[in-house]
Amino acid sequence: MENIKGFINNELKNWNKFDCLWMIIANVVIIGVSLYFHDTAIGIISSVTGTICVILTGMGRMSNFIFGTINIVAYAIVAYKATYYGDVMLNLFYYLPTNIIGWFMWKKHMNDESGEVIKRKLTLKMEIIIAVLSIAGILVYGYFLKKYTNDALPYTDSMSTVLSIVAQFLLLKRYMEQWIIWIVVDGVSIFMWIMAFFNGGESIATLLMWSVYFINAIFMFTKWYKESKENNCEISA
């Protein structure tokens, strides 16, 4: 019981007014608009837990992995109904296990004073390698989705999926460059869910979720860039 209390106290440490307002506003907007458009319960659960997860991730808090696990399962169901099979496979076969692994990886690198994970920065060599592998992955997986599934947007789905895999890897390793990739992923995903919504899908909560992700990624890139620079944690490949 003491361990749980200590964990909660650590997660609530050093929240500023912006963190609190952003968390409240983002979720109130998602819930309010979703209820207005009569979105599904699973869609709202996915969106709210996902929003909490990405904000906590940006704040460098361990609890992001708890909310992330709930979001992964719920979002996979929503994506399956929208025939975005790349997203389904990404969530169940990649995000779910890496979310569990991430808990233990971050736990080793927490700053006890701030309650946040310690951030770091990629080298130029690693940035080039990641860019080349990402482009190759998008083309190969997009071809697979187009040929072997009835995916609604195979190459767009592939871009979202492959870049999400890369960004999640960088997240686990605490690299600030993850937020650059998340900005791209979130922009692509907004397009996908706009298409789903106008094609009659019950996905307004999911569309709003990705919109919040996009705004959050911009905020958190600024935060992580500054802190990774201060930590002077740039490493070699």
Side-chain angles (χ1 to χ4, degrees), residues 62-95:
M62 288 280 295
S63 54
N64 84 83
F65 295 108
I66 298 173
F67 289 97
T69 299
I70 301 170
N71 167 258
I72 287 165
V73 176
Y75 181 75
I77 296 171
V78 175
Y80 180 80
K81 291 180 179 179
T83 70
Y84 290 149
Y85 302 121
D87 266 5
V88 175
M89 290 185 279
L90 172 68
N91 277 265
L92 295 181
F93 302 130
Y94 182 66
Y95 278 163

Side-chain angles (χ1 to χ4, degrees), residues 19-207:
D19 296 329
C20 297
L21 283 173
W22 177 227
M23 181 71 80
I24 293 168
I25 291 171
N27 282 290
V28 166
V29 169
I30 285 178
I31 294 171
V33 176
S34 299
L35 291 175
Y36 178 80
F37 280 95
H38 305 290
D39 207 333
T40 61
I42 193 69
I44 296 174
I45 291 170
S46 168
S47 300
V48 170
T49 55
T51 297
I52 295 172
C53 171
V54 296
I55 294 175
L56 290 173
T57 300
M59 293 173 63
R61 308 290 170 155
M62 288 280 295
S63 54
N64 84 83
F65 295 108
I66 298 173
F67 289 97
T69 299
I70 301 170
N71 167 258
I72 287 165
V73 176
Y75 181 75
I77 296 171
V78 175
Y80 180 80
K81 291 180 179 179
T83 70
Y84 290 149
Y85 302 121
D87 266 5
V88 175
M89 290 185 279
L90 172 68
N91 277 265
L92 295 181
F93 302 130
Y94 182 66
Y95 278 163
L96 193 56
T98 57
N99 210 53
I100 297 170
I101 294 169
W103 173 276
F104 296 100
M105 291 181 69
W106 275 35
K107 193 174 182 180
K108 298 176 183 178
H109 303 282
M110 297 300 294
N111 184 322
D112 293 332
E113 186 177 337
S114 66
E116 298 185 18
V117 74
I118 299 170
K119 292 87 173 174
R120 56 182 182 170
K121 191 177 183 301
L122 285 172
T123 63
L124 177 60
K125 181 180 177 181
M126 280 297 294
E127 288 176 354
I128 294 171
I129 292 172
I130 288 171
V132 171
L133 291 176
S134 297
I135 293 170
I138 290 167
L139 294 175
V140 171
Y141 191 48
Y143 176 78
F144 169 82
L145 290 175
K146 183 177 180 180
K147 187 172 179 65
Y148 297 106
T149 75
N150 64 333
D151 195 294
L153 297 166
Y155 284 99
T156 304
D157 195 0
S158 175
M159 181 183 291
S160 172
T161 301
V162 171
L163 292 183
S164 293
I165 290 173
V166 175
Q168 181 75 356
F169 171 77
L170 297 180
L171 183 156
L172 298 181
K173 302 293 287 184
R174 300 172 287 112
Y175 288 115
M176 75 88 185
E177 286 83 358
Q178 63 164 299
W179 296 107
I180 300 173
I181 302 177
W182 285 129
I183 289 170
V184 177
V185 170
D186 298 341
V188 171
S189 298
I190 288 170
F191 170 75
M192 289 170 57
W193 289 101
I194 285 175
M195 296 298 293
F197 179 69
F198 283 107
N199 286 330
E202 297 177 330
S203 54
I204 189 65
T206 306
L207 174 58

Side-chain angles (χ1 to χ4, degrees), residues 211-225:
S211 299
V212 169
Y213 283 10
F214 182 79
I215 297 169
N216 186 72
I218 295 172
F219 289 155
M220 298 311 172
F221 167 72
T222 304
K223 172 182 169 65
W224 279 55
Y225 179 79

